Amino acid sequence: MGIQLNDNNAELKPKNEKQHMAVIDIGTNSTRMLIFRDDDGQLIRVNKSVRYTRMGQDVNKTGHLHPDAQKRNYEALEEFKSIAEDYAVKGFYLFGTSAMRDAQNAEDYVAFIKEKLGFDIEIIAGEEEAELGFVGVSQCFDEKILIFDIGGGSTELIYGEKNEIKKMMSINLGCVRCTEEYLISDPPTLQELERLNERIYSEFQQRTENFLPKKPYKLIGIGGTATSLSTIKQELKTYDSEMVHKSMITKAELEAMIDKLAGQTIQERKTIVGLEAKRADIILAGALLLLNILKITGEDSFMVCDYDNLEGAAYRHFMAKKNNV
């Protein structure tokens, strides 16, 4: 089983000659949809869409999904449904992650979406989120891999060998959660940065004490923080999957980016070539989370992978079942 990208363009023209399926990830920062088809066991990515819905807005403070976040997400799902109709999509799988796990009113929102749009949403555990990420990434690598996925509300770590997960964990620290709790000033003060950095390192060191595998292994980053840092490094005005996939970022390059980001206001970050404007407020926290992953692993660099839990969900919930895997 392999995965192939049809085109570098994220949103392609409809093609209805083959049966299409869709998976939708309702994340803490963004809501993403992958439309794909199964060509004799090979997953062909046809369309990948993203909307920055910030479902994690104030969830850490209130324990509830914010009404504005629910509205943004509903509008994104409504738009995705329309896009999917253009591709004659035959089946959907939707899953919610950290923000929906933590929100006390998430089930009410799930019922609302079912009533209005006919979509079923499964709220998955952090461990299952990690597993889907591994399934997506493992289609690209045969060697021992340690994957990290920095989300808006949590960070997942997954270690595997020969396409088999050996261990995984979910840590309740993500770029939206950390930004809201620690980076209050614009730009953040040195004290805010130090407090956040100390919190991340302490939490990561404590949680991974008996988790990290023996070397050698390949350290791989997936998700918006890793891919965004790659596009910033390469100064990509338009997202290019082929340029991002399997690109490398060194610890020195990451530290230089953090120094630059830390001295800029959110408005100034919005002008950075390669950075989505709606990620400008959370990219610094994401970069600090990533830097501390390099610290605890002792690695000097990591590889970016453009395949993640969307591809994993596509394979697990459609392709594997179809092929009786």
Side-chain angles (χ1 to χ4, degrees), residues 27 34 36 53 76 89 96 98-99 110 124 145 185 187 199 214 227 231 261 283:
L34 170 67
F36 67 96
T53 55
V89 168
S98 180
V110 168
I124 63 174
I145 51 176
S185 307
R199 166 74 191 285
K214 293 182 179 179
T227 57
T231 57
L261 290 167
I283 188 63

Side-chain angles (χ1 to χ4, degrees), residues 90-106:
K90 301 299 183 185
F92 292 87
Y93 172 66
L94 286 75
F95 61 99
T97 58
S98 180
M100 296 190 74
R101 285 195 293 269
D102 293 346
Q104 297 173 28
N105 60 340

Side-chain angles (χ1 to χ4, degrees), residues 51-280:
R51 300 294 180 264
Y52 292 95
T53 55
R54 195 61 65 87
M55 279 291 272
Q57 179 184 346
D58 292 339
V59 169
N60 206 35
K61 298 176 184 176
T62 67
H64 288 78
L65 295 174
H66 195 285
D68 292 345
Q70 294 183 54
K71 181 175 184 294
R72 289 191 297 267
N73 191 257
Y74 170 75
E75 290 171 349
L77 293 178
E78 189 176 40
E79 183 182 0
F80 285 176
K81 186 175 183 179
S82 177
I83 294 172
E85 287 172 355
D86 291 339
Y87 286 87
V89 168
K90 301 299 183 185
F92 292 87
Y93 172 66
L94 286 75
F95 61 99
T97 58
S98 180
M100 296 190 74
R101 285 195 293 269
D102 293 346
Q104 297 173 28
N105 60 340
E107 292 297 341
D108 293 337
Y109 183 70
V110 168
F112 171 77
I113 293 299
K114 175 66 173 177
E115 178 187 353
K116 295 294 185 181
L117 299 176
F119 285 145
D120 291 307
I121 302 171
E122 181 181 2
I123 301 174
I124 63 174
E127 289 72 21
E128 186 173 355
E129 182 181 358
E131 186 175 353
L132 292 179
F134 178 83
V135 172
V137 174
S138 64
Q139 309 307 314
C140 310
F141 301 93
D142 293 324
E143 63 264 57
K144 297 177 182 179
I145 51 176
L146 177 61
I147 304 165
F148 63 85
D149 182 2
I150 299 170
S154 63
T155 295
E156 277 66 52
L157 295 171
I158 318 104
Y159 175 68
E161 301 175 12
K162 298 178 181 179
N163 295 331
E164 181 183 343
I165 295 177
K166 295 299 183 182
K167 47 187 172 180
M168 57 187 170
M169 70 163 52
S170 181
I171 301 173
N172 235 25
L173 289 176
C175 50
V176 173
R177 192 187 300 272
C178 289
T179 298
E180 288 185 350
E181 188 171 346
Y182 289 93
L183 304 184
I184 310 303
S185 307
D186 185 24
T189 65
L190 181 60
Q191 290 77 14
E192 289 171 350
L193 290 167
E194 287 178 344
R195 283 183 60 237
L196 174 56
N197 202 45
E198 288 171 4
R199 166 74 191 285
I200 295 170
Y201 182 75
S202 174
E203 185 86 5
F204 279 6
Q205 188 180 47
Q206 181 180 348
R207 291 292 306 280
T208 63
E209 185 177 358
N210 298 311
F211 174 85
L212 294 176
K214 293 182 179 179
K215 297 182 180 183
Y217 55 77
K218 187 181 291 293
L219 183 64
I220 298 171
I222 63 175
T225 293
T227 57
S228 292
L229 290 168
S230 177
T231 57
I232 291 171
K233 174 189 170 181
Q234 299 183 69
E235 298 184 340
L236 300 179
K237 293 181 180 179
T238 303
Y239 191 88
D240 186 329
S241 175
E242 291 186 2
M243 293 291 289
V244 171
H245 187 52
K246 295 192 176 182
S247 59
M248 298 291 298
I249 297 177
T250 67
K251 185 179 179 183
E253 290 168 337
L254 178 60
E255 288 173 332
M257 283 190 272
I258 289 173
D259 287 343
K260 183 177 180 181
L261 290 167
Q264 294 177 315
T265 64
I266 293 171
Q267 200 60 38
E268 288 170 336
R269 288 181 214 149
K270 289 181 179 180
T271 66
I272 297 174
V273 177
L275 179 63
E276 285 270 6
K278 291 186 177 180
R279 263 189 193 278

